[in-house]
Amino acid sequence: MLVSVIIPNYNYAQYLKQRIESVLNQTYPHFEVIILDDCSNDNSMDIINEYKDDKHISKIVVNERNSGNTFVQWQKGISLANGDLIWIAESDDYANKNFLEKIVEVFQHNSGIVLCQVGATMIDENNKPIARHYDRWQKETSHPLIFESKTYINKYLKWNNNLYNASGIVFRKQAATPDILNEITQFKVCGDWKFWLQIVDSNKNIAILKQKLNFFRKHAKSMSSHVPFMEEMNIFQYLIQQGYFKKNTIVFWLMTGIYQRTIKHIADTNEKKKCNDYLIQTTGIRSNLPYLFSQFCKFLNRILPFC
């Protein structure tokens, strides 16, 4: 199986050499590398050009102007890929040398899966591990856990972006349809969440390999984890349309109430109206009752934190 490794970069020269070498030194031999530079103004291109003659480097594409959107780079890289599998290797992260070998083995033994995620060690600017991590695994496992896609969305992915780092995920190229790729370019922050939701939702199974084979870097220039309200509402709308949040249920009312609370804290009057109109369109609820219900639940949680 050929893996297309896409390395999108913008001004990450300080991490770029480590990232590229961690890809080129993979023990799995069947891969191509596509490097995309979004018009960096540091010395990224000097580093990239050091590797231009490597046999694995299939394409180096440099934008004439900055796109300002990482998901535009995702779309471009996937459209250029020749592989059966795609690995978006973010330029500020890096991986163990057996990352691809372990993941490709999962795909080879599980033909029905659309993606495989591995665990990550979170690191700082100097490659030092950070105590906080996202996986919360009690122990690693030698075999992957296989989840039916809709079960995984209901249990995990509808609540937050549990597939939190693209560098730790490999997926099938055929799942990334042009419609999905076009849509995520409209997002600035949570395009990855919408992307994972759609490709998981339209396929059979996913795999989680509980082994920390990826190094996920947190640093001053990391993308903000704050999700713009309209993007979050787009996700909520999709989940309602697909039946993951059933209307007129307690959970639906609670989620609507939480969004109503969020809108109340928006300072700009025009933006507040725009967001409120979108919420009404999404939920069909004009009443303030969900807000009061969520406030009641919040109060209960304060006096009975185990609820």
Side-chain angles (χ1 to χ4, degrees):
M1 301 178 80
L2 178 66
V3 182
S4 292
V5 186
I6 299 165
I7 304 179
N9 175 69
Y10 176 64
N11 284 350
Y12 279 152
Q14 68 191 101
Y15 310 122
L16 196 51
K17 188 177 184 70
Q18 184 179 30
R19 162 44 90 198
I20 293 174
E21 291 192 357
S22 81
V23 172
L24 296 179
N25 291 328
Q26 289 293 304
T27 55
Y28 182 78
H30 306 300
F31 65 90
E32 64 167 355
V33 180
I34 300 169
I35 301 178
L36 307 175
D37 187 81
D38 202 5
C39 197
S40 293
N41 53 33
D42 61 5
N43 66 321
S44 288
M45 285 311 303
D46 293 335
I47 296 169
I48 290 170
N49 284 329
E50 291 179 22
Y51 300 94
K52 65 181 180 180
D53 295 325
D54 188 280
K55 65 179 182 179
H56 288 292
I57 306 292
S58 65
K59 298 176 183 70
I60 296 174
V61 181
V62 184
N63 286 348
E64 293 184 0
R65 63 177 62 183
N66 178 250
S67 72
N69 188 328
T70 189
F71 304 117
V72 170
Q73 294 293 84
W74 281 32
Q75 181 189 47
K76 180 183 292 185
I78 293 170
S79 69
L80 294 171
N82 297 309
D84 308 294
L85 302 175
I86 304 289
W87 175 23
I88 298 176
E90 302 285 5
S91 54
D92 52 341
D93 300 329
Y94 69 98
N96 282 351
K97 64 181 181 179
N98 60 347
F99 175 93
L100 281 181
E101 181 181 346
K102 293 277 191 178
I103 287 187
V104 171
E105 184 179 359
V106 174
F107 278 95
Q108 289 172 335
H109 289 89
N110 300 275
S111 60
I113 66 169
V114 66
L115 68 79
C116 179
Q117 179 194 38
V118 300
T121 299
M122 190 176 290
I123 55 172
D124 64 13
E125 294 95 330
N126 302 308
N127 295 335
K128 293 182 179 178
I130 300 172
R132 178 172 59 93
H133 68 84
Y134 284 63
D135 301 320
R136 299 187 179 93
W137 293 338
Q138 297 299 315
K139 61 180 181 179
E140 296 192 358
T141 58
S142 58
H143 299 289
L145 300 177
I146 307 298
F147 290 88
E148 191 275 327
S149 292
K150 295 188 183 301
T151 300
Y152 186 82
I153 292 175
N154 265 314
K155 191 172 182 179
Y156 301 107
L157 200 52
K158 78 177 185 181
W159 305 108
N160 56 58
N161 188 8
N162 205 55
L163 300 170
Y164 58 87
N165 178 223
S167 294
I169 297 170
V170 172
F171 59 92
R172 294 190 189 275
K173 181 187 177 183
Q174 65 183 20
T177 64
D179 286 346
I180 293 175
L181 291 171
N182 285 333
E183 183 174 1
I184 66 169
T185 62
Q186 307 306 309
F187 290 78
K188 293 293 185 182
V189 176
C190 64
D192 54 345
W193 189 5
K194 187 65 178 288
F195 181 75
W196 304 133
L197 269 171
Q198 289 182 302
I199 70 169
V200 170
D201 194 25
S202 59
N203 288 274
K204 185 177 179 183
N205 297 317
I206 76 165
I208 308 295
L209 183 60
K210 290 191 172 185
Q211 295 182 27
K212 291 185 179 294
L213 305 173
N214 177 46
F215 292 87
F216 177 32
R217 196 182 307 273
K218 284 290 186 180
H219 52 86
K221 293 194 292 183
S222 295
M223 183 180 288
S224 170
S225 60
H226 174 69
V227 178
F229 182 82
M230 296 298 280
E231 292 191 15
E232 192 168 352
M233 282 307 304
N234 182 290
I235 300 288
F236 188 43
Q237 186 177 51
Y238 174 81
L239 290 166
I240 292 170
Q241 291 171 344
Q242 299 302 112
Y244 291 105
F245 284 114
K246 303 289 187 182
K247 289 193 174 184
N248 300 319
T249 62
I250 290 176
V251 173
F252 179 78
W253 268 58
L254 182 60
M255 293 296 293
T256 302
I258 290 170
Y259 287 127
Q260 287 180 341
R261 279 165 44 191
T262 302
I263 291 172
K264 284 185 177 293
H265 293 288
I266 297 175
D268 184 88
T269 303
N270 291 331
E271 183 67 16
K272 180 179 287 189
K273 183 180 185 308
K274 179 182 175 183
C275 292
N276 191 57
D277 289 345
Y278 192 11
L279 181 62
I280 291 171
Q281 174 192 333
T282 299
T283 63
I285 296 178
R286 295 179 178 273
S287 167
N288 207 34
L289 288 176
Y291 167 78
L292 298 174
F293 176 65
S294 72
Q295 289 289 72
F296 175 69
C297 292
K298 184 179 178 182
F299 171 73
L300 274 184
N301 193 55
R302 284 180 176 175
I303 61 173
L304 300 171
F306 52 85
C307 289

mmCIF file of all heavy atoms in Angstrom, residues 50-90:
data_model
loop_
_atom_site.group_PDB
_atom_site.id
_atom_site.type_symbol
_atom_site.label_atom_id
_atom_site.label_comp_id
_atom_site.label_asym_id
_atom_site.label_seq_id
_atom_site.Cartn_x
_atom_site.Cartn_y
_atom_site.Cartn_z
ATOM 1 N N GLU A 50 16.932 21.194 0.943
ATOM 2 C CA GLU A 50 17.974 20.220 1.294
ATOM 3 C C GLU A 50 17.526 18.795 0.961
ATOM 4 O O GLU A 50 18.361 17.905 0.767
ATOM 5 C CB GLU A 50 18.293 20.305 2.792
ATOM 6 C CG GLU A 50 18.999 21.580 3.220
ATOM 7 C CD GLU A 50 19.265 21.594 4.721
ATOM 8 O OE1 GLU A 50 19.302 20.498 5.331
ATOM 9 O OE2 GLU A 50 19.411 22.693 5.288
ATOM 10 N N TYR A 51 16.209 18.582 0.903
ATOM 11 C CA TYR A 51 15.665 17.231 0.718
ATOM 12 C C TYR A 51 15.041 17.029 -0.665
ATOM 13 O O TYR A 51 14.470 15.969 -0.928
ATOM 14 C CB TYR A 51 14.611 16.957 1.793
ATOM 15 C CG TYR A 51 15.153 17.039 3.198
ATOM 16 C CD1 TYR A 51 15.069 18.220 3.935
ATOM 17 C CD2 TYR A 51 15.774 15.938 3.794
ATOM 18 C CE1 TYR A 51 15.572 18.302 5.227
ATOM 19 C CE2 TYR A 51 16.277 16.011 5.083
ATOM 20 C CZ TYR A 51 16.176 17.202 5.784
ATOM 21 O OH TYR A 51 16.688 17.276 7.052
ATOM 22 N N LYS A 52 15.142 17.994 -1.546
ATOM 23 C CA LYS A 52 14.413 17.925 -2.818
ATOM 24 C C LYS A 52 14.816 16.746 -3.698
ATOM 25 O O LYS A 52 14.030 16.298 -4.540
ATOM 26 C CB LYS A 52 14.579 19.232 -3.594
ATOM 27 C CG LYS A 52 16.000 19.524 -4.044
ATOM 28 C CD LYS A 52 16.077 20.852 -4.771
ATOM 29 C CE LYS A 52 17.516 21.133 -5.224
ATOM 30 N NZ LYS A 52 17.602 22.426 -5.940
ATOM 31 N N ASP A 53 16.033 16.218 -3.514
ATOM 32 C CA ASP A 53 16.494 15.110 -4.352
ATOM 33 C C ASP A 53 16.279 13.741 -3.715
ATOM 34 O O ASP A 53 16.658 12.716 -4.292
ATOM 35 C CB ASP A 53 17.986 15.284 -4.683
ATOM 36 C CG ASP A 53 18.243 16.527 -5.536
ATOM 37 O OD1 ASP A 53 17.382 16.844 -6.380
ATOM 38 O OD2 ASP A 53 19.290 17.177 -5.333
ATOM 39 N N ASP A 54 15.673 13.722 -2.525
ATOM 40 C CA ASP A 54 15.403 12.431 -1.883
ATOM 41 C C ASP A 54 14.403 11.640 -2.708
ATOM 42 O O ASP A 54 13.437 12.197 -3.248
ATOM 43 C CB ASP A 54 14.866 12.654 -0.461
ATOM 44 C CG ASP A 54 14.740 11.360 0.319
ATOM 45 O OD1 ASP A 54 13.742 10.638 0.104
ATOM 46 O OD2 ASP A 54 15.637 11.055 1.123
ATOM 47 N N LYS A 55 14.596 10.345 -2.817
ATOM 48 C CA LYS A 55 13.747 9.504 -3.669
ATOM 49 C C LYS A 55 12.282 9.494 -3.245
ATOM 50 O O LYS A 55 11.391 9.209 -4.059
ATOM 51 C CB LYS A 55 14.282 8.075 -3.698
ATOM 52 C CG LYS A 55 14.213 7.369 -2.341
ATOM 53 C CD LYS A 55 14.738 5.929 -2.427
ATOM 54 C CE LYS A 55 14.618 5.216 -1.085
ATOM 55 N NZ LYS A 55 15.107 3.812 -1.169
ATOM 56 N N HIS A 56 12.015 9.790 -1.990
ATOM 57 C CA HIS A 56 10.632 9.757 -1.508
ATOM 58 C C HIS A 56 9.886 11.064 -1.770
ATOM 59 O O HIS A 56 8.653 11.095 -1.693
ATOM 60 C CB HIS A 56 10.594 9.447 -0.013
ATOM 61 C CG HIS A 56 10.939 8.033 0.326
ATOM 62 N ND1 HIS A 56 10.134 6.970 -0.019
ATOM 63 C CD2 HIS A 56 12.005 7.495 0.983
ATOM 64 C CE1 HIS A 56 10.677 5.842 0.408
ATOM 65 N NE2 HIS A 56 11.815 6.133 1.019
ATOM 66 N N ILE A 57 10.614 12.139 -2.024
ATOM 67 C CA ILE A 57 9.961 13.438 -2.243
ATOM 68 C C ILE A 57 9.388 13.464 -3.654
ATOM 69 O O ILE A 57 10.116 13.505 -4.641
ATOM 70 C CB ILE A 57 10.941 14.614 -2.053
ATOM 71 C CG1 ILE A 57 11.620 14.541 -0.685
ATOM 72 C CG2 ILE A 57 10.213 15.943 -2.251
ATOM 73 C CD1 ILE A 57 10.713 14.782 0.489
ATOM 74 N N SER A 58 8.070 13.439 -3.760
ATOM 75 C CA SER A 58 7.439 13.425 -5.087
ATOM 76 C C SER A 58 7.077 14.825 -5.567
ATOM 77 O O SER A 58 7.118 15.107 -6.766
ATOM 78 C CB SER A 58 6.185 12.543 -5.082
ATOM 79 O OG SER A 58 5.193 13.073 -4.235
ATOM 80 N N LYS A 59 6.714 15.712 -4.625
ATOM 81 C CA LYS A 59 6.313 17.069 -5.016
ATOM 82 C C LYS A 59 6.668 18.065 -3.915
ATOM 83 O O LYS A 59 6.524 17.769 -2.728
ATOM 84 C CB LYS A 59 4.799 17.146 -5.288
ATOM 85 C CG LYS A 59 4.317 16.262 -6.428
ATOM 86 C CD LYS A 59 2.806 16.321 -6.565
ATOM 87 C CE LYS A 59 2.310 15.376 -7.652
ATOM 88 N NZ LYS A 59 2.452 13.961 -7.265
ATOM 89 N N ILE A 60 7.122 19.235 -4.345
ATOM 90 C CA ILE A 60 7.288 20.387 -3.460
ATOM 91 C C ILE A 60 6.510 21.527 -4.094
ATOM 92 O O ILE A 60 6.794 21.939 -5.221
ATOM 93 C CB ILE A 60 8.769 20.780 -3.278
ATOM 94 C CG1 ILE A 60 9.534 19.655 -2.579
ATOM 95 C CG2 ILE A 60 8.881 22.083 -2.483
ATOM 96 C CD1 ILE A 60 11.040 19.900 -2.492
ATOM 97 N N VAL A 61 5.486 22.004 -3.405
ATOM 98 C CA VAL A 61 4.626 23.058 -3.945
ATOM 99 C C VAL A 61 4.702 24.270 -3.014
ATOM 100 O O VAL A 61 4.458 24.157 -1.811
ATOM 101 C CB VAL A 61 3.161 22.585 -4.066
ATOM 102 C CG1 VAL A 61 2.290 23.684 -4.662
ATOM 103 C CG2 VAL A 61 3.080 21.321 -4.917
ATOM 104 N N VAL A 62 5.054 25.416 -3.610
ATOM 105 C CA VAL A 62 5.198 26.647 -2.827
ATOM 106 C C VAL A 62 4.163 27.666 -3.296
ATOM 107 O O VAL A 62 4.124 28.014 -4.482
ATOM 108 C CB VAL A 62 6.621 27.231 -2.982
ATOM 109 C CG1 VAL A 62 6.786 28.466 -2.087
ATOM 110 C CG2 VAL A 62 7.680 26.187 -2.655
ATOM 111 N N ASN A 63 3.338 28.130 -2.384
ATOM 112 C CA ASN A 63 2.342 29.147 -2.730
ATOM 113 C C ASN A 63 3.005 30.500 -2.978
ATOM 114 O O ASN A 63 3.926 30.885 -2.250
ATOM 115 C CB ASN A 63 1.304 29.296 -1.618
ATOM 116 C CG ASN A 63 0.332 28.132 -1.561
ATOM 117 O OD1 ASN A 63 0.273 27.305 -2.466
ATOM 118 N ND2 ASN A 63 -0.432 28.056 -0.478
ATOM 119 N N GLU A 64 2.503 31.231 -3.964
ATOM 120 C CA GLU A 64 3.018 32.571 -4.235
ATOM 121 C C GLU A 64 2.522 33.574 -3.211
ATOM 122 O O GLU A 64 3.161 34.592 -2.964
ATOM 123 C CB GLU A 64 2.613 33.018 -5.643
ATOM 124 C CG GLU A 64 3.289 32.200 -6.748
ATOM 125 C CD GLU A 64 2.948 32.716 -8.120
ATOM 126 O OE1 GLU A 64 2.183 33.710 -8.229
ATOM 127 O OE2 GLU A 64 3.466 32.140 -9.104
ATOM 128 N N ARG A 65 1.377 33.279 -2.622
ATOM 129 C CA ARG A 65 0.865 34.112 -1.530
ATOM 130 C C ARG A 65 0.268 33.200 -0.469
ATOM 131 O O ARG A 65 -0.180 32.094 -0.764
ATOM 132 C CB ARG A 65 -0.178 35.118 -2.025
ATOM 133 C CG ARG A 65 -1.428 34.505 -2.606
ATOM 134 C CD ARG A 65 -2.435 35.584 -3.009
ATOM 135 N NE ARG A 65 -1.897 36.449 -4.054
ATOM 136 C CZ ARG A 65 -2.534 37.498 -4.545
ATOM 137 N NH1 ARG A 65 -3.723 37.838 -4.057
ATOM 138 N NH2 ARG A 65 -1.998 38.220 -5.498
ATOM 139 N N ASN A 66 0.273 33.676 0.753
ATOM 140 C CA ASN A 66 -0.207 32.876 1.871
ATOM 141 C C ASN A 66 -1.719 32.684 1.793
ATOM 142 O O ASN A 66 -2.469 33.638 1.624
ATOM 143 C CB ASN A 66 0.174 33.548 3.201
ATOM 144 C CG ASN A 66 -0.331 32.792 4.406
ATOM 145 O OD1 ASN A 66 -1.225 33.241 5.096
ATOM 146 N ND2 ASN A 66 0.236 31.628 4.652
ATOM 147 N N SER A 67 -2.169 31.425 1.901
ATOM 148 C CA SER A 67 -3.607 31.131 1.833
ATOM 149 C C SER A 67 -4.317 31.489 3.129
ATOM 150 O O SER A 67 -5.520 31.742 3.136
ATOM 151 C CB SER A 67 -3.822 29.645 1.532
ATOM 152 O OG SER A 67 -3.489 28.844 2.662
ATOM 153 N N GLY A 68 -3.575 31.468 4.241
ATOM 154 C CA GLY A 68 -4.171 31.778 5.535
ATOM 155 C C GLY A 68 -5.108 30.709 6.050
ATOM 156 O O GLY A 68 -5.874 30.943 6.977
ATOM 157 N N ASN A 69 -5.052 29.507 5.461
ATOM 158 C CA ASN A 69 -5.993 28.465 5.844
ATOM 159 C C ASN A 69 -5.342 27.096 5.666
ATOM 160 O O ASN A 69 -5.079 26.671 4.547
ATOM 161 C CB ASN A 69 -7.259 28.566 4.983
ATOM 162 C CG ASN A 69 -8.366 27.646 5.450
ATOM 163 O OD1 ASN A 69 -8.118 26.570 5.975
ATOM 164 N ND2 ASN A 69 -9.612 28.068 5.247
ATOM 165 N N THR A 70 -5.112 26.420 6.775
ATOM 166 C CA THR A 70 -4.455 25.110 6.712
ATOM 167 C C THR A 70 -5.291 24.085 5.953
ATOM 168 O O THR A 70 -4.757 23.161 5.338
ATOM 169 C CB THR A 70 -4.140 24.592 8.132
ATOM 170 O OG1 THR A 70 -3.331 23.421 8.046
ATOM 171 C CG2 THR A 70 -5.423 24.257 8.907
ATOM 172 N N PHE A 71 -6.624 24.263 5.953
ATOM 173 C CA PHE A 71 -7.478 23.271 5.292
ATOM 174 C C PHE A 71 -7.463 23.424 3.770
ATOM 175 O O PHE A 71 -7.746 22.461 3.047
ATOM 176 C CB PHE A 71 -8.894 23.342 5.855
ATOM 177 C CG PHE A 71 -8.913 23.162 7.352
ATOM 178 C CD1 PHE A 71 -9.350 24.178 8.191
ATOM 179 C CD2 PHE A 71 -8.441 21.987 7.922
ATOM 180 C CE1 PHE A 71 -9.337 24.026 9.569
ATOM 181 C CE2 PHE A 71 -8.422 21.824 9.305
ATOM 182 C CZ PHE A 71 -8.868 22.842 10.126
ATOM 183 N N VAL A 72 -7.096 24.597 3.270
ATOM 184 C CA VAL A 72 -6.839 24.757 1.838
ATOM 185 C C VAL A 72 -5.618 23.926 1.454
ATOM 186 O O VAL A 72 -5.584 23.291 0.396
ATOM 187 C CB VAL A 72 -6.625 26.247 1.484
ATOM 188 C CG1 VAL A 72 -6.113 26.395 0.049
ATOM 189 C CG2 VAL A 72 -7.927 27.030 1.666
ATOM 190 N N GLN A 73 -4.629 23.900 2.337
ATOM 191 C CA GLN A 73 -3.434 23.089 2.105
ATOM 192 C C GLN A 73 -3.762 21.592 2.162
ATOM 193 O O GLN A 73 -3.233 20.803 1.384
ATOM 194 C CB GLN A 73 -2.342 23.452 3.115
ATOM 195 C CG GLN A 73 -1.797 24.876 2.965
ATOM 196 C CD GLN A 73 -1.028 25.048 1.667
ATOM 197 O OE1 GLN A 73 -1.599 25.304 0.617
ATOM 198 N NE2 GLN A 73 0.280 24.899 1.736
ATOM 199 N N TRP A 74 -4.624 21.206 3.077
ATOM 200 C CA TRP A 74 -5.076 19.805 3.121
ATOM 201 C C TRP A 74 -5.688 19.418 1.779
ATOM 202 O O TRP A 74 -5.371 18.370 1.211
ATOM 203 C CB TRP A 74 -6.132 19.636 4.217
ATOM 204 C CG TRP A 74 -5.646 19.542 5.611
ATOM 205 C CD1 TRP A 74 -4.523 20.151 6.142
ATOM 206 C CD2 TRP A 74 -6.259 18.826 6.693
ATOM 207 N NE1 TRP A 74 -4.423 19.865 7.480
ATOM 208 C CE2 TRP A 74 -5.463 19.066 7.837
ATOM 209 C CE3 TRP A 74 -7.396 18.044 6.801
ATOM 210 C CZ2 TRP A 74 -5.792 18.512 9.082
ATOM 211 C CZ3 TRP A 74 -7.724 17.491 8.035
ATOM 212 C CH2 TRP A 74 -6.917 17.723 9.159
ATOM 213 N N GLN A 75 -6.593 20.263 1.292
ATOM 214 C CA GLN A 75 -7.272 19.980 0.032
ATOM 215 C C GLN A 75 -6.266 19.837 -1.111
ATOM 216 O O GLN A 75 -6.343 18.907 -1.919
ATOM 217 C CB GLN A 75 -8.263 21.099 -0.284
ATOM 218 C CG GLN A 75 -9.051 20.907 -1.569
ATOM 219 C CD GLN A 75 -9.846 22.141 -1.943
ATOM 220 O OE1 GLN A 75 -9.329 23.260 -1.919
ATOM 221 N NE2 GLN A 75 -11.118 21.942 -2.283
ATOM 222 N N LYS A 76 -5.320 20.751 -1.172
ATOM 223 C CA LYS A 76 -4.321 20.713 -2.247
ATOM 224 C C LYS A 76 -3.476 19.450 -2.158
ATOM 225 O O LYS A 76 -3.250 18.760 -3.164
ATOM 226 C CB LYS A 76 -3.428 21.953 -2.166
ATOM 227 C CG LYS A 76 -2.357 22.014 -3.244
ATOM 228 C CD LYS A 76 -1.458 23.229 -3.084
ATOM 229 C CE LYS A 76 -2.201 24.503 -3.366
ATOM 230 N NZ LYS A 76 -1.315 25.684 -3.324
ATOM 231 N N GLY A 77 -3.001 19.125 -0.964
ATOM 232 C CA GLY A 77 -2.142 17.954 -0.793
ATOM 233 C C GLY A 77 -2.844 16.661 -1.155
ATOM 234 O O GLY A 77 -2.279 15.799 -1.844
ATOM 235 N N ILE A 78 -4.094 16.514 -0.707
ATOM 236 C CA ILE A 78 -4.844 15.285 -0.992
ATOM 237 C C ILE A 78 -5.120 15.160 -2.491
ATOM 238 O O ILE A 78 -5.074 14.062 -3.054
ATOM 239 C CB ILE A 78 -6.144 15.251 -0.165
ATOM 240 C CG1 ILE A 78 -5.812 15.128 1.331
ATOM 241 C CG2 ILE A 78 -7.047 14.098 -0.591
ATOM 242 C CD1 ILE A 78 -6.992 15.333 2.263
ATOM 243 N N SER A 79 -5.380 16.284 -3.148
ATOM 244 C CA SER A 79 -5.639 16.241 -4.593
ATOM 245 C C SER A 79 -4.397 15.833 -5.376
ATOM 246 O O SER A 79 -4.508 15.281 -6.482
ATOM 247 C CB SER A 79 -6.140 17.598 -5.081
ATOM 248 O OG SER A 79 -5.105 18.576 -5.029
ATOM 249 N N LEU A 80 -3.206 16.063 -4.832
ATOM 250 C CA LEU A 80 -1.950 15.707 -5.495
ATOM 251 C C LEU A 80 -1.474 14.296 -5.156
ATOM 252 O O LEU A 80 -0.552 13.781 -5.786
ATOM 253 C CB LEU A 80 -0.846 16.708 -5.105
ATOM 254 C CG LEU A 80 -1.025 18.156 -5.573
ATOM 255 C CD1 LEU A 80 0.024 19.058 -4.910
ATOM 256 C CD2 LEU A 80 -0.924 18.257 -7.094
ATOM 257 N N ALA A 81 -2.108 13.680 -4.163
ATOM 258 C CA ALA A 81 -1.623 12.401 -3.633
ATOM 259 C C ALA A 81 -1.911 11.239 -4.574
ATOM 260 O O ALA A 81 -2.979 11.157 -5.180
ATOM 261 C CB ALA A 81 -2.263 12.132 -2.271
ATOM 262 N N ASN A 82 -0.958 10.324 -4.659
ATOM 263 C CA ASN A 82 -1.108 9.103 -5.457
ATOM 264 C C ASN A 82 -1.390 7.873 -4.601
ATOM 265 O O ASN A 82 -1.670 6.805 -5.141
ATOM 266 C CB ASN A 82 0.170 8.856 -6.262
ATOM 267 C CG ASN A 82 0.445 9.956 -7.263
ATOM 268 O OD1 ASN A 82 -0.420 10.325 -8.038
ATOM 269 N ND2 ASN A 82 1.671 10.502 -7.235
ATOM 270 N N GLY A 83 -1.269 8.011 -3.295
ATOM 271 C CA GLY A 83 -1.359 6.855 -2.403
ATOM 272 C C GLY A 83 -2.766 6.386 -2.114
ATOM 273 O O GLY A 83 -3.743 7.112 -2.304
ATOM 274 N N ASP A 84 -2.845 5.155 -1.624
ATOM 275 C CA ASP A 84 -4.115 4.610 -1.135
ATOM 276 C C ASP A 84 -4.455 5.201 0.221
ATOM 277 O O ASP A 84 -5.625 5.343 0.579
ATOM 278 C CB ASP A 84 -4.016 3.083 -0.996
ATOM 279 C CG ASP A 84 -3.512 2.423 -2.266
ATOM 280 O OD1 ASP A 84 -4.232 2.486 -3.270
ATOM 281 O OD2 ASP A 84 -2.396 1.859 -2.247
ATOM 282 N N LEU A 85 -3.406 5.518 0.983
ATOM 283 C CA LEU A 85 -3.566 6.054 2.328
ATOM 284 C C LEU A 85 -2.937 7.445 2.398
ATOM 285 O O LEU A 85 -1.961 7.735 1.694
ATOM 286 C CB LEU A 85 -2.896 5.143 3.358
ATOM 287 C CG LEU A 85 -3.379 3.694 3.423
ATOM 288 C CD1 LEU A 85 -2.536 2.894 4.409
ATOM 289 C CD2 LEU A 85 -4.860 3.620 3.810
ATOM 290 N N ILE A 86 -3.495 8.291 3.277
ATOM 291 C CA ILE A 86 -3.012 9.664 3.448
ATOM 292 C C ILE A 86 -2.585 9.869 4.894
ATOM 293 O O ILE A 86 -3.312 9.515 5.828
ATOM 294 C CB ILE A 86 -4.112 10.697 3.122
ATOM 295 C CG1 ILE A 86 -4.657 10.497 1.705
ATOM 296 C CG2 ILE A 86 -3.586 12.119 3.315
ATOM 297 C CD1 ILE A 86 -3.719 10.874 0.595
ATOM 298 N N TRP A 87 -1.418 10.463 5.048
ATOM 299 C CA TRP A 87 -0.947 10.898 6.365
ATOM 300 C C TRP A 87 -0.631 12.385 6.272
ATOM 301 O O TRP A 87 0.272 12.784 5.538
ATOM 302 C CB TRP A 87 0.294 10.099 6.773
ATOM 303 C CG TRP A 87 0.949 10.535 8.059
ATOM 304 C CD1 TRP A 87 0.379 11.216 9.102
ATOM 305 C CD2 TRP A 87 2.314 10.302 8.452
ATOM 306 N NE1 TRP A 87 1.295 11.423 10.111
ATOM 307 C CE2 TRP A 87 2.490 10.863 9.738
ATOM 308 C CE3 TRP A 87 3.392 9.659 7.832
ATOM 309 C CZ2 TRP A 87 3.717 10.815 10.410
ATOM 310 C CZ3 TRP A 87 4.603 9.614 8.506
ATOM 311 C CH2 TRP A 87 4.764 10.179 9.779
ATOM 312 N N ILE A 88 -1.409 13.221 6.987
ATOM 313 C CA ILE A 88 -1.122 14.652 7.043
ATOM 314 C C ILE A 88 -0.185 14.870 8.220
ATOM 315 O O ILE A 88 -0.609 14.899 9.383
ATOM 316 C CB ILE A 88 -2.408 15.483 7.173
ATOM 317 C CG1 ILE A 88 -3.287 15.264 5.943
ATOM 318 C CG2 ILE A 88 -2.073 16.969 7.332
ATOM 319 C CD1 ILE A 88 -4.626 15.957 5.983
ATOM 320 N N ALA A 89 1.096 14.999 7.913
ATOM 321 C CA ALA A 89 2.142 15.104 8.929
ATOM 322 C C ALA A 89 2.440 16.582 9.179
ATOM 323 O O ALA A 89 3.233 17.197 8.457
ATOM 324 C CB ALA A 89 3.393 14.362 8.467
ATOM 325 N N GLU A 90 1.776 17.152 10.167
ATOM 326 C CA GLU A 90 1.945 18.578 10.451
ATOM 327 C C GLU A 90 3.415 18.899 10.698
ATOM 328 O O GLU A 90 4.139 18.132 11.345
ATOM 329 C CB GLU A 90 1.099 18.977 11.665
ATOM 330 C CG GLU A 90 -0.396 18.697 11.519
ATOM 331 C CD GLU A 90 -1.120 19.677 10.599
ATOM 332 O OE1 GLU A 90 -0.455 20.538 9.987
ATOM 333 O OE2 GLU A 90 -2.343 19.561 10.468
#
